[in-house]
């Protein structure tokens, strides 16, 4: 069995999609449709930068999605024939839903633009933070977050793999967690270069904004089951998809559990589209699985031959 997986924020880089667009008319069509949907030359920003503008959450989120969907469409792969499941990390869940036909491309781009803007606006810059705890599992991370909170918000945001968990919340609390994590046995604890504290209760204003946006959006049943971040289980009902995407804004991304659940369901091959970020996590979660990360036209050719 096979799952196609889609990366989240942080996988953007200037130049993304440029070689793909030069090689594939299908990829160019994706970038053009996203530009039109957003009334913005996002494809130029992706190709040329500047980096600071591309890193802005409201630009990075639709850019990462567009690059992943362009990679898929350039391959010409029939997802219904070749995938048993799809899943994505945080914003990547929108990419997965788009790939599976739950959202059309223009709707996905507009939702992610709104999501990125709402998440950035939810907490003033500098008041929130996120940190990666390396060499720490979920249990240890929860102990660290609870000890660091001291009346503020500090919670687990991403359970990425058995040795990498991300916490999020008020800056002072997250900074306290750095020392606490080391005291409790984490190998390293490092602040992440992010502009907002994603996937924690401070994002509630963004969740409310997405509830409004998703209520207006057309959602279809996906052609293959989509593993949801907040349940680590497949979802296919449109109303359930809407609800889970709203919850996702403030809740923990259960990526480790999602990959493990797919592996237990029989998935032995994971295909990452648009980046080489999730692959190493998958191997740490399911060492016996195979991973194919697809970024370049050569990668696409190799994928088509492999499956």
């Amino acid at each position: 069995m096979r799952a196609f997986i889609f990366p989240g924020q942080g996988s953007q880089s200037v130049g993304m999609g440029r070689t793909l667009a030069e090689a594939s008319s299908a990829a160019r069509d994706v970038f053009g449709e996203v530009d039109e949907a957003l009334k913005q030359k996002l494809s130029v920003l992706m190709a040329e930068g500047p980096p600071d503008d591309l890193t802005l959450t409201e630009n990075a989120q639709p850019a990462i999605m567009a690059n992943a969907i362009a990679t898929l469409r350039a391959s010409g792969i029939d997802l219904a024939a070749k995938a048993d499941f799809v899943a994505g990390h945080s914003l990547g869940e929108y990419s997965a839903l788009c790939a599976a036909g739950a959202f059309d491309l223009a709707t996905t781009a507009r939702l992610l633009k709104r999501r990125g803007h709402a998440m950035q606006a939810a907490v003033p810059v500098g008041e929130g933070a996120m940190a990666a705890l390396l060499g720490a599992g979920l249990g240890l991370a929860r102990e660290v977050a609870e000890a660091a909170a001291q009346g503020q918000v500090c919670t687990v945001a991403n359970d990425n793999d058995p040795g990498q968990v991300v916490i999020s919340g008020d800056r002072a609390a997250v900074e306290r967690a750095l020392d606490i994590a080391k005291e409790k046995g984490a190998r390293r604890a490092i602040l992440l270069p992010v502009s907002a504290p994603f996937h924690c209760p401070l994002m509630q204003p963004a969740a409310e904004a997405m509830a409004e946006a998703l209520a207006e959006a057309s959602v279809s049943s996906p052609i293959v089951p989509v593993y949801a971040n907040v349940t680590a289980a497949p979802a296919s009902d449109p109303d359930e998809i809407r609800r889970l995407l709203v919850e996702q804004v403030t809740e923990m991304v259960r990526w480790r559990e999602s990959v493990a659940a797919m592996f237990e369901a029989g998935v032995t091959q994971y295909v990452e589209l648009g980046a080489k970020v999730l692959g190493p996590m998958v191997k740490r979660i399911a060492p016996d699985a195979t991973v194919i990360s697809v970024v370049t036209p050569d990668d696409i050719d190799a994928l088509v031959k492999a499956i």
Side-chain angles (χ1 to χ4, degrees), residues 141-221:
R142 281 176 166 156
E143 288 180 22
V144 169
E146 184 177 349
Q150 297 178 22
Q152 294 183 299
V153 171
C154 189
T155 61
V156 174
N158 304 336
D159 179 15
N160 286 335
D161 66 44
Q164 183 192 120
V165 181
V166 175
I167 60 173
S168 180
D170 289 297
R171 174 168 288 275
V174 172
E175 289 177 344
R176 284 193 294 270
L178 300 179
D179 290 331
I180 294 170
K182 293 171 188 173
E183 292 168 4
K184 287 184 175 289
R187 188 173 74 250
R188 289 184 67 199
I190 52 176
L191 284 174
L192 297 177
V194 296
S195 55
F198 306 130
H199 299 292
C200 81
L202 296 175
M203 287 287 109
Q204 184 57 35
E208 293 167 4
M210 290 314 297
E212 294 179 5
L214 287 159
E216 299 168 357
S218 175
V219 186
S220 301
S221 295

Side-chain angles (χ1 to χ4, degrees), residues 56-275:
L56 287 173
T57 302
E58 65 180 78
N59 292 327
Q61 294 198 15
I64 292 163
M65 180 278 298
N67 189 55
I69 297 301
T71 304
L72 175 62
R73 293 193 182 173
S75 75
I77 287 171
D78 178 355
L79 198 72
K82 296 295 185 180
D84 298 284
F85 302 107
V86 294
H89 188 285
S90 190
L91 81 89
E93 189 169 337
Y94 284 80
S95 307
L97 287 160
C98 180
F103 295 128
D104 63 39
L105 180 60
T107 297
T108 312
R110 287 191 290 264
L111 284 170
L112 284 173
K113 185 75 173 180
R114 186 162 179 182
R115 182 178 185 267
H117 180 77
M119 293 175 89
Q120 184 62 68
V123 179
V125 174
E127 291 189 10
M130 299 181 76
L133 309 185
L134 306 179
L138 179 59
L140 178 59
R142 281 176 166 156
E143 288 180 22
V144 169
E146 184 177 349
Q150 297 178 22
Q152 294 183 299
V153 171
C154 189
T155 61
V156 174
N158 304 336
D159 179 15
N160 286 335
D161 66 44
Q164 183 192 120
V165 181
V166 175
I167 60 173
S168 180
D170 289 297
R171 174 168 288 275
V174 172
E175 289 177 344
R176 284 193 294 270
L178 300 179
D179 290 331
I180 294 170
K182 293 171 188 173
E183 292 168 4
K184 287 184 175 289
R187 188 173 74 250
R188 289 184 67 199
I190 52 176
L191 284 174
L192 297 177
V194 296
S195 55
F198 306 130
H199 299 292
C200 81
L202 296 175
M203 287 287 109
Q204 184 57 35
E208 293 167 4
M210 290 314 297
E212 294 179 5
L214 287 159
E216 299 168 357
S218 175
V219 186
S220 301
S221 295
I223 58 174
V224 295
V226 181
Y227 267 74
N229 283 185
V230 299
T231 61
S236 58
D237 176 73
D239 288 337
E240 182 185 21
I241 288 169
R242 286 190 180 92
R243 177 178 60 79
L244 293 173
L245 288 175
V246 173
E247 292 179 8
Q248 188 219 59
V249 177
T250 57
E251 297 295 321
M252 179 178 74
V253 173
R254 296 169 62 181
W255 185 249
R256 175 185 59 82
E257 293 176 81
S258 295
V259 172
M262 286 186 282
F263 187 76
E264 289 170 11
V267 172
T268 56
Q269 186 179 74
Y270 296 78
V271 178
E272 178 181 9
L273 293 168

